[in-house]
Amino acid sequence: MASRGGGRGRGRGQLTFNMEAVGIGKGDALPPPTLQPSPLFPPLEFRPVPLPSGEEGEYVLALKQELRGAMRQLPYFIRPAVPKRGTTILIPKRPPKNTEDKEETIQKLETLEKKEEEVTSEEDEEKEEEEEKEEEEEEEYDEEHEEETDYIMSYFDNGEDFGGDSDDNMDEAIY
Amino acid sequence: MTQAEIKLCSLLLQEHFGEIVEKIGVHLIRTGSQPLRAIAHDTGTSLDQVKKALCVLIQHNLVIYQVHKRGVVEYEAQCSRVLRMLRYPRYIYTAKTLYSDTGELIVEELLLNGKMTMSAVVKKVADRLTETMEDGKTMDYAEVSNTFVRLADTHFVQRCPWVPATENSDPGPPPPAPILVISEKDMYLVPKLSLIGKGKRRRSSDEDAAGEPKAKRPKHSTDNKEPIPDDGIYWQANLDRFHQHFRDQAIVSAVANRMDQTSSEIVRTMLRMSEITTPSTAPFTQPLSSNEIFRSLPVGYNISKQVLDQYLTLLADDPLEFVGKSGDSGGGMYVINLHKALGSLATATLESVVQERFGSRCARIFRLVLQKKHLEQKQVEDFAMIPAKEAKDMLYKMLSGNFISLQEIPKTPDHAPSRTFYLYTVNILSAARMLLHRCYKSIANLIERRQFETKENKRLLEKSQRVEAIIASMQATGAEEAQLQEIEEMITAPERQQLETLKRNVNKLDASEIQVDETIFLLESYIESTMKRQ
């Protein structure tokens, strides 16, 4: 009725409790209003205490990492099934890789390797890896595909070397 | 189960068992007890995969099953057990300190495999130990068996619930799932096996790596076709016993920090004497007389009876009340107040967190409120001798962090705010719960960050692994120094730097996880002990 003025009449801004009881004195500056959620990484006022180091700490740390690796190798680790594509997949010899292509080929190798795991036994997979490694090593320098071009190097020959190799039969005409 | 716990369980399951097991496990944790078909339908995975995942989870004691009415079998996940996976390294290390390498490997095998028969454990551990020994030496099965028996006697390993050997007089259909029983007296009974043999050394696989195709190794190699003598008798690690050990360790080191080495030795003796007689959840140990304690002190300790009595009196009078005097017969009957000790440890953790997070002046206010139980704003300023403005600011910081809470005491029945006392108080139980929840979130963040770091540098890691494998195989076939050098240079110096940084970061994150888990253990023990008393 008379006292209900939509919050605009007198009595506006009065609280139901005595502010001094919680420690806000009259005339004290209140902290600024919060307009957004607190930052995701609030600034650290105090540096954290250093982690315990020492023989025990190191040993337990090494144990933890070892266990993590070991559990991935156990049969309890179930890998998500990938669509089967038949038995052994031979990895063909690839054209030369640039640094950007290396990423993709490594990823391709990975996915193929994963398929290997699902379908064949571990031994075959290791054999594949060794073959790949050998292939990779051997393929590092391929003379024909030296630069980043679509053409083999003999395309760029300007014919200087032609004809200068034969030491015998110089009388024969060269057409 | 809080969201933070579920998230952490999800990360742990995924890291250790893969995504399929994680999906099923998290679904069960979220929804509670469910039958097989409901799980398959709700998660959208094939029945086959659900069965595999459930097998893995049940094998590792993470899921239990029950036959309900109308023959429906329901599966239930145990969230708290999943969180124990964080503590595996600590269990294994404890076994190492108590029973040396043999014990360490036994506990490790049991934790990695969930449940195993004794013969399988002994064989596997003997093989592993033989690998590490010098050429020509092997590990005898008998020695491993002995350590196993000792672990069972001290309750560190226990038998899993088994199928009772009933004689069915009525040939009715078998129940849909076996009903397992477990009896207290048989839980640590070691079967009479005569395991004779020595560990086998596995042929080193380096020679085979030079391109020769290895013979196909069957996935489950059974070297001998003899029937397993203790088939059906499975063992698991008894985590509660390990927790009891950790609790005892924490109490002893607290006493050592607060008083001196001798008092901590006395407390350790008392705890050791109560190990088997007192259940782990009891609020205090059985009373021990001073004479008994004197007789049980470790051999090297040469303190006289009077000195022991003086120490015991000192311990009993200490305000922390770790040790209490319960009678005067036998030279004085003393107990260890386990519940109070855990409470003190939890409180110390809270104080330490407040100090490191808000500063030492905040910590002073916190300790003050703890000590005086309830204080008004004005009283806090006076007792702590901190100016009003700063005290107010600190109190509010702690209040919004939920370390401190407000207690209203009305003066009038109408609870008018202007006529009400507002007192600051610390509710240890709820603050401990809040901190525990925060710990779960922290570990989840740490694991996520570690996975992120590893993923970022995945390419580099794989490259370095390949290079190492190449070097190892070349060394085995006898390559020259120059060739090895060449291969090593495949990893450039900045890449090496990056690998070093990655390794350092991952180590730091891992060590932090271990550290936070210790805090989790203290807080959980305190909360559990408090809940049992209500």
Side-chain angles (χ1 to χ4, degrees):
Chain A
M1 309 232 278
S3 54
R4 258 184 271 156
R8 284 189 307 268
R10 61 192 173 131
R12 167 177 69 137
Q14 277 180 359
L15 299 166
T16 55
F17 63 98
N18 184 11
M19 276 205 316
E20 273 155 16
V22 273
I24 307 172
K26 254 188 129 86
D28 263 354
L30 288 172
T34 316
L35 295 168
Q36 56 190 352
S38 45
L40 198 56
F41 294 104
L44 265 185
E45 286 171 20
F46 303 95
R47 298 222 65 180
V49 182
L51 291 164
S53 59
E55 212 186 290
E56 181 183 334
E58 309 252 334
Y59 191 84
V60 177
L61 180 65
L63 249 180
K64 183 178 207 300
Q65 293 175 336
E66 222 181 274
L67 273 177
R68 207 168 40 227
M71 287 193 100
R72 293 186 82 94
Q73 304 301 322
L74 285 176
Y76 305 112
F77 194 97
I78 303 181
R79 288 170 211 276
V82 283
K84 301 192 178 175
R85 280 182 27 179
T87 47
T88 0
I89 299 170
L90 293 173
I91 298 179
K93 254 193 156 57
R94 281 198 177 76
K97 319 170 219 318
N98 297 320
T99 35
E100 296 99 0
D101 287 347
K102 273 197 162 85
E103 278 270 11
E104 296 162 36
T105 37
I106 288 174
Q107 280 172 12
K108 269 194 226 169
L109 284 173
E110 282 172 47
T111 44
L112 284 168
E113 272 176 43
K114 282 205 181 94
K115 285 172 195 157
E116 287 295 325
E117 279 178 32
E118 294 301 311
V119 178
T120 61
S121 67
E122 323 170 71
E123 288 73 40
D124 282 354
E125 182 197 333
E126 277 167 22
K127 188 173 83 173
E128 288 278 348
E129 273 183 87
E130 259 116 52
E131 284 179 17
E132 282 169 54
K133 279 181 224 146
E134 291 170 27
E135 282 169 34
E136 272 189 32
E137 283 180 70
E138 290 164 12
E139 272 187 37
E140 282 206 19
Y141 179 72
D142 195 342
E143 194 174 345
E144 288 189 332
H145 303 263
E146 203 176 0
E147 296 170 6
E148 181 189 328
T149 61
D150 288 333
Y151 306 98
I152 63 171
M153 287 315 291
S154 53
Y155 177 85
F156 298 106
D157 273 355
N158 49 11
E160 282 175 350
D161 302 328
F162 182 73
D165 298 316
S166 56
D167 289 330
D168 47 18
N169 280 345
M170 291 296 282
D171 305 8
E172 270 190 26
I174 298 165
Y175 300 103
Chain B
M1 294 297 115
T2 60
Q3 284 301 323
E5 283 173 316
I6 298 179
K7 172 96 176 110
L8 184 52
C9 287
S10 153
L11 284 169
L12 286 170
L13 285 174
Q14 187 196 16
E15 216 173 34
H16 292 118
F17 298 119
E19 282 171 11
I20 301 178
V21 175
E22 182 254 334
K23 192 151 61 149
I24 309 294
V26 169
H27 176 75
L28 277 175
I29 293 175
R30 276 217 170 92
T31 56
S33 196
Q34 292 241 298
L36 182 63
R37 299 229 166 250
I39 303 174
H41 177 262
D42 289 339
T43 54
T45 29
S46 70
L47 209 58
D48 187 44
Q49 299 220 311
V50 176
K51 284 185 192 172
K52 261 197 239 176
L54 280 174
C55 278
V56 169
L57 288 167
I58 293 175
Q59 171 74 14
H60 281 82
N61 308 307
L62 302 172
V63 159
I64 54 170
Y65 56 84
Q66 267 182 319
V67 185
H68 282 259
K69 54 187 187 302
R70 286 192 277 145
V72 175
V73 179
E74 290 198 342
Y75 300 91
E76 195 177 330
Q78 322 224 281
C79 178
S80 52
R81 180 62 181 81
V82 178
L83 296 172
R84 291 301 140 262
M85 290 177 68
L86 282 166
R87 219 166 278 165
Y88 281 5
R90 203 172 165 195
Y91 299 138
I92 299 174
Y93 182 72
T94 304
K96 186 189 173 77
T97 54
L98 293 174
Y99 295 102
S100 84
D101 288 343
T102 321
E104 178 194 3
L105 288 182
I106 292 178
V107 171
E108 187 177 330
E109 284 300 322
L110 281 175
L111 285 172
L112 282 180
N113 289 292
K115 306 183 186 23
M116 277 175 98
T117 58
M118 179 174 167
S119 40
V121 174
V122 168
K123 181 168 182 310
K124 210 149 182 208
V125 172
D127 286 344
R128 276 181 77 173
L129 282 169
T130 309
E131 291 278 324
T132 62
M133 290 165 108
E134 306 154 4
D135 278 331
K137 285 208 180 151
T138 53
M139 187 65 165
D140 208 14
Y141 280 10
E143 206 178 312
V144 183
S145 292
N146 279 343
T147 315
F148 192 95
V149 170
R150 281 167 67 199
L151 277 166
D153 283 340
T154 44
H155 295 353
F156 279 106
V157 300
Q158 67 185 27
R159 283 184 58 175
C160 305
W162 60 89
V163 183
T166 51
E167 291 165 21
N168 268 346
S169 48
D170 59 52
I179 317 266
L180 302 173
V181 298
I182 183 153
S183 73
E184 191 66 42
K185 61 178 176 59
D186 286 339
M187 202 139 69
Y188 306 103
L189 206 59
V190 181
K192 293 270 179 295
L193 300 172
S194 55
L195 291 165
I196 304 171
K198 296 192 186 319
K200 291 191 191 33
R201 196 185 296 273
R202 202 173 40 134
R203 218 167 25 122
S204 62
S205 47
D206 289 301
E207 287 108 33
D208 293 337
E212 246 181 72
K214 280 196 282 233
K216 271 205 180 195
R217 263 181 290 135
K219 281 249 154 61
H220 307 281
S221 56
T222 37
D223 290 339
N224 42 350
K225 303 284 187 289
E226 304 153 12
I228 311 169
D230 59 344
D231 194 21
I233 304 181
Y234 290 94
W235 294 83
Q236 61 181 346
N238 182 3
L239 301 190
D240 281 332
R241 178 69 182 89
F242 279 102
H243 293 164
Q244 194 183 350
H245 181 86
F246 295 155
R247 183 202 64 196
D248 293 349
Q249 259 183 334
I251 295 178
V252 167
S253 73
V255 173
N257 280 341
R258 188 170 171 83
M259 302 179 79
D260 70 343
Q261 182 71 12
T262 319
S263 349
S264 75
E265 277 308 313
I266 296 174
V267 172
R268 196 202 299 272
T269 311
M270 289 172 77
L271 283 167
R272 204 178 48 235
M273 289 160 71
S274 325
E275 248 167 32
I276 313 282
T277 58
T278 312
S280 61
T281 52
F284 37 78
T285 61
Q286 298 292 324
L288 297 164
S289 73
S290 161
N291 297 330
E292 278 177 339
I293 300 173
F294 184 64
R295 278 197 299 266
S296 314
L297 279 176
V299 183
Y301 258 72
N302 286 339
I303 55 173
S304 68
K305 188 83 176 37
Q306 282 102 322
V307 175
L308 173 70
D309 283 334
Q310 281 176 340
Y311 266 115
L312 283 169
T313 321
L314 253 167
L315 279 165
D317 285 339
D318 190 73
L320 272 185
E321 293 187 19
F322 277 18
V323 176
K325 189 166 184 180
S326 71
D328 286 314
S329 59
M333 302 293 279
Y334 295 93
V335 294
I336 298 199
N337 289 320
L338 295 168
H339 175 71
K340 285 223 169 72
L342 284 171
S344 304
L345 287 167
T347 314
T349 310
L350 282 167
E351 284 175 21
S352 164
V353 169
V354 168
Q355 178 160 345
E356 294 305 325
R357 189 165 275 277
F358 301 118
S360 53
R361 300 176 93 191
C362 265
R364 188 153 97 220
I365 296 182
F366 186 76
R367 278 195 290 269
L368 181 69
V369 180
L370 255 177
Q371 192 188 1
K372 302 274 187 186
K373 306 278 192 272
H374 295 273
L375 281 178
E376 263 190 334
Q377 168 77 39
K378 194 84 184 51
Q379 287 173 310
V380 168
E381 293 160 23
D382 291 339
F383 282 128
M385 295 182 286
I386 291 178
K389 210 164 183 180
E390 289 173 34
K392 191 176 29 178
D393 191 39
M394 291 176 192
L395 275 170
Y396 282 155
K397 254 197 278 186
M398 286 193 280
L399 188 63
S400 55
N402 287 322
F403 287 97
I404 279 188
S405 45
L406 269 177
Q407 169 77 43
E408 296 176 6
I409 305 203
K411 288 190 226 177
T412 54
D414 64 351
H415 288 251
S418 57
R419 291 186 292 273
T420 314
F421 285 117
Y422 290 95
L423 301 176
Y424 290 101
T425 181
V426 177
N427 183 343
I428 303 183
L429 184 61
S430 73
R433 280 212 169 101
M434 179 277 300
L435 193 58
L436 182 63
H437 185 249
R438 219 188 169 125
C439 286
Y440 290 139
K441 274 198 202 160
S442 304
I443 296 202
N445 286 348
L446 286 166
I447 296 181
E448 290 247 34
R449 180 69 198 208
R450 175 168 49 79
Q451 287 179 345
F452 171 76
E453 293 274 327
T454 317
K455 202 160 83 160
E456 282 270 293
N457 296 288
K458 193 165 154 175
R459 190 188 78 82
L460 190 55
L461 268 173
E462 285 175 354
K463 179 175 174 186
S464 89
Q465 274 168 5
R466 275 205 301 272
V467 166
E468 270 173 37
I470 296 174
I471 292 185
S473 68
M474 287 181 73
Q475 269 176 342
T477 56
E480 299 161 3
E481 191 58 42
Q483 283 178 308
L484 289 175
Q485 200 72 8
E486 215 180 284
I487 302 294
E488 270 190 26
E489 269 158 29
M490 275 171 66
I491 302 185
T492 63
E495 282 179 340
R496 251 180 238 287
Q497 191 68 21
Q498 212 177 332
L499 277 172
E500 270 301 311
T501 316
L502 173 67
K503 185 165 172 184
R504 207 179 38 242
N505 288 343
V506 168
N507 281 353
K508 216 188 265 197
L509 290 165
D510 268 329
S512 310
E513 279 177 48
I514 297 172
Q515 186 66 25
V516 180
D517 181 58
E518 284 187 26
T519 310
I520 287 184
F521 169 69
L522 279 177
L523 294 171
E524 272 182 356
S525 305
Y526 166 67
I527 294 174
E528 204 183 302
S529 169
T530 314
M531 298 314 289
K532 287 254 159 54
R533 300 198 68 192
Q534 289 177 357

